[in-house]
């Protein structure tokens, strides 16, 4: 009986995604054409939450004290577990939607909207929520929402991310974000250079030291940064310089080891140039993703059901990071990748931004919406699967 009810619900919801596809693509393109940076995603949050509300979901705006966060709930047949589908919608500075969050946004919103539109109420005990999570790129919005209790009653969470291939499971790296400053002494760069202390030299020395350090770090570790202040004018010996770095690794412990070595490099650069150095590590550490193969398998089977192919990982790319990692360390979570570009197109590139509004992005968004919705239904209709996902979560390390 339950299996038949689930099958019927899945068919209806998948058909609803197809009916909503043009509207969803329109919102996806609107978000793409109006890139909004972290915590400033007013338009995107407005369009997405309005769409959910119009189709029958109960929407709360500004949840967790973040004005551009929202939560849309579709109730089930009675008390039971809560399954969350996450939607990201922030863009990157200058290069816009080069991470394709317009597709994440409309896939997640599409999943919830299709459930609300097709079923009204979820025909199983519990509820499904779409949580609009701002500021993935740089703001760790999901960590803020978790701290504010938005995920407190969530039993399992999921989202999709666009990529140059479809992989149900792919690891991500942890991050410690670090700011490094050097303080020297200003002086005329031509008539009295020997009276100055050059804070830019210290910064250049730090970058050189980090490049040497790289030879002795593990292959998956990443250390990269930009100079945010290199001085004020060429005729003044720079008295203050500043740079932002990400220290990334597959484990939190190795991120901390990178921080220890980074501090040594900064101290060395300060000593070599006579400057004072200051290293400030961000209090929020991004966790690596914790796998949940129980949920990933359900998601994979739903992709099969809708005839969407999964690709082998060609191994050409390294790993990124996500604030979804922190969610995955707190509750069973999946973060599958869905193809929205041809092979070999790097994320955070102008080419990927173009693909994020292509017909391939539409196909990926539709498949993502369906597979998310169907997997959420699976977890409510089959309590045994949710239990298994929770047991796997409890047993698994990191
Ligand atoms: Zn990104
Ligand atoms: Zn992203």
């Amino acid at each position: 009986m339950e299996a038949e009810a689930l099958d019927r619900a899945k068919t209806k919801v998948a058909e609803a995604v197809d009916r909503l596809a043009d509207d969803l693509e329109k919102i996806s393109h609107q978000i793409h054409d109006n890139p909004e940076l972290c915590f400033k995603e007013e338009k995107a949050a407005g369009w997405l939450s309005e769409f959910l509300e119009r189709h029958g979901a109960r929407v709360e705006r500004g949840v967790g004290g973040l004005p551009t966060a929202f939560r849309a709930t579709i109730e089930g047949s009675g008390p039971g577990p809560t399954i969350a589908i996450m939607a990201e919608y922030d863009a990157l500075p200058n290069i816009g939607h080069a991470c394709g969050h317009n597709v994440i946004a409309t896939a997640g919103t599409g999943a919830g909207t299709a459930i609300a539109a097709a079923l009204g109420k979820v025909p199983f005990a519990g509820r499904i929520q779409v949580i609009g999570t701002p500021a993935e790129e740089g703001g760790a919005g999901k960590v803020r929402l978790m701290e504010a209790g938005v995920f407190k009653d969530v039993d399992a969470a999921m989202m999709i991310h666009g990529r140059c291939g479809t992989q149900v499971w792919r690891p991500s790296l942890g991050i410690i974000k670090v700011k490094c400053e050097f303080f020297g002494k200003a002086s005329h760069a031509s008539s009295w250079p020997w009276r100055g202390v050059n804070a830019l030299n210290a910064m250049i020395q730090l970058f050189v030291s980090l490049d040497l350090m790289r030879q002795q770090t593990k292959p998956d570790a990443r250390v990269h940064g930009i100079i945010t202040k290199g001085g004020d004018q060429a005729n003044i010996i720079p008295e203050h310089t500043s740079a932002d770095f990400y220290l990334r690794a597959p484990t939190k412990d190795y991120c901390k080891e990178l921080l220890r070595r980074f501090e040594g490099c900064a101290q060395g650069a300060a000593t070599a140039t006579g400057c004072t150095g200051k290293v400030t590590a961000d209090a929020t550490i991004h966790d690596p993703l914790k796998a949940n193969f129980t949920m990933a398998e359900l998601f994979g089977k739903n992709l099969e059901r809708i005839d969407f192919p999964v690709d082998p990982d060609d191994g050409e790319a390294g790993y990124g990071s996500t604030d979804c990692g922190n969610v995955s360390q707190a509750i069973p979570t999946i973060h599958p990748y869905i193809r929205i570009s041809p092979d070999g197109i790097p994320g955070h590139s102008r080419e990927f931004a173009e693909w994020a509004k292509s017909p391939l992005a539409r196909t990926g968004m539709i498949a993502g919406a369906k597979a998310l919705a169907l997997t959420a239904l699976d977890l409510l209709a089959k309590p045994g699967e949710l239990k298994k996902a929770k047991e796997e979560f409890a047993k698994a390390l990191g």
Side-chain angles (χ1 to χ4, degrees):
M1 267 308 272
E2 202 74 326
E4 271 173 42
L6 175 62
D7 191 63
R8 266 201 313 277
K10 281 187 173 185
T11 303
K12 276 191 190 172
V13 168
E15 284 169 359
V17 171
D18 287 326
R19 276 200 306 278
L20 295 166
D22 286 348
D23 290 344
L24 289 168
E25 189 184 33
K26 210 173 121 205
I27 300 174
S28 174
H29 288 186
Q30 275 178 324
I31 295 173
H32 194 283
D33 294 342
N34 293 272
E36 298 170 297
L37 298 182
C38 66
F39 296 122
K40 292 180 187 145
E41 314 93 330
E42 285 117 20
K43 287 179 189 164
W47 292 324
L48 297 163
S49 56
E50 192 275 326
F51 194 68
L52 280 152
E53 199 165 51
R54 182 157 28 109
H55 289 90
R58 180 171 55 83
V59 171
E60 302 156 86
R61 295 180 172 85
V63 289
L66 301 185
T68 55
F70 66 85
R71 177 166 56 197
T73 302
I74 305 114
E75 289 294 346
S77 60
T82 300
I83 310 300
I85 297 168
M86 295 173 281
E88 298 173 0
Y89 30 84
D90 59 326
L92 289 155
N94 297 319
I95 55 173
H97 275 287
C99 208
H101 291 189
N102 56 310
V103 178
I104 302 177
T106 43
T109 295
T113 308
I115 293 167
L119 307 175
K121 266 188 167 189
V122 180
F124 314 107
R127 67 197 56 75
I128 291 170
Q129 292 181 332
V130 177
I131 302 183
T133 60
E136 192 278 330
E137 301 284 1
K142 293 184 194 64
V143 179
R144 303 267 302 269
L145 292 179
M146 281 204 296
E147 285 167 355
V150 173
F151 285 85
K152 184 168 55 75
D153 298 322
V154 174
D155 292 87
M158 62 183 88
M159 60 175 285
I160 58 107
H161 199 297
R163 189 173 187 269
C164 58
T166 299
Q167 282 93 30
V168 173
W169 159 246
R170 221 171 171 270
S172 81
L173 306 178
I175 316 179
I176 296 181
K177 294 179 182 175
V178 187
K179 178 178 173 163
C180 183
E181 291 171 281
F182 290 106
F183 301 90
K185 193 178 166 203
S187 182
H188 197 290
S190 175
S191 59
W192 293 95
W194 44 85
R195 295 286 289 273
V197 176
N198 194 326
L200 181 58
N201 281 353
M203 190 57 82
I204 292 167
Q205 185 55 51
L206 172 62
F207 273 83
V208 171
S209 299
L210 292 173
D211 283 339
L212 293 175
M213 177 186 98
R214 239 181 267 286
Q215 295 175 48
Q216 271 69 50
T217 55
K218 290 185 181 177
D220 282 334
R222 295 287 185 273
V223 175
H224 47 92
I226 57 160
I227 297 178
T228 53
K229 188 180 177 199
D232 292 303
Q233 195 161 286
N235 61 358
I236 312 166
I237 298 295
E239 64 173 353
H240 175 232
T241 54
S242 185
D244 291 338
F245 293 89
Y246 283 14
L247 314 179
R248 308 201 207 205
T251 67
K252 228 164 145 167
D253 280 350
Y254 202 68
C255 288
K256 288 179 184 162
E257 167 63 10
L258 290 176
L259 177 60
R260 190 188 65 78
R261 294 202 213 174
F262 180 95
E263 283 168 337
C265 291
Q267 186 54 56
T271 305
T273 54
C275 291
T276 311
K278 187 180 171 197
V279 173
T280 315
D282 195 306
T284 302
I285 300 183
H286 281 62
D287 288 327
L289 276 169
K290 179 168 170 173
N292 195 287
F293 295 108
T294 308
M295 287 169 64
E297 201 178 299
L298 293 174
F299 190 90
K301 278 187 187 148
N302 285 317
L303 285 179
E304 222 171 89
R305 178 185 171 113
I306 61 167
D307 266 331
F308 194 81
V310 173
D311 307 304
D313 192 340
D314 62 13
E316 287 295 312
Y319 302 123
S321 305
T322 167
D323 59 1
C324 188
N326 298 56
V327 178
S328 77
Q329 298 290 342
I331 43 177
T333 300
I334 49 168
H335 182 275
Y337 290 91
I338 298 278
R339 179 186 289 283
I340 65 167
S341 86
D343 289 346
I345 307 289
H348 293 198
S349 69
R350 291 196 182 273
E351 298 99 294
F352 197 76
E354 281 302 307
W355 283 105
K357 59 174 180 190
S358 66
L360 212 49
R362 176 190 166 106
T363 315
M365 182 262 294
I366 293 170
K370 287 180 182 173
L372 286 170
L374 271 43
T375 306
L377 290 173
D378 273 329
L379 290 169
L380 291 185
K382 298 187 272 192
E385 291 291 332
L386 182 59
K387 189 165 166 263
K388 207 172 125 196
K390 287 184 174 186
E391 283 166 1
E392 181 187 341
F393 175 84
K395 262 190 268 161
L397 302 167

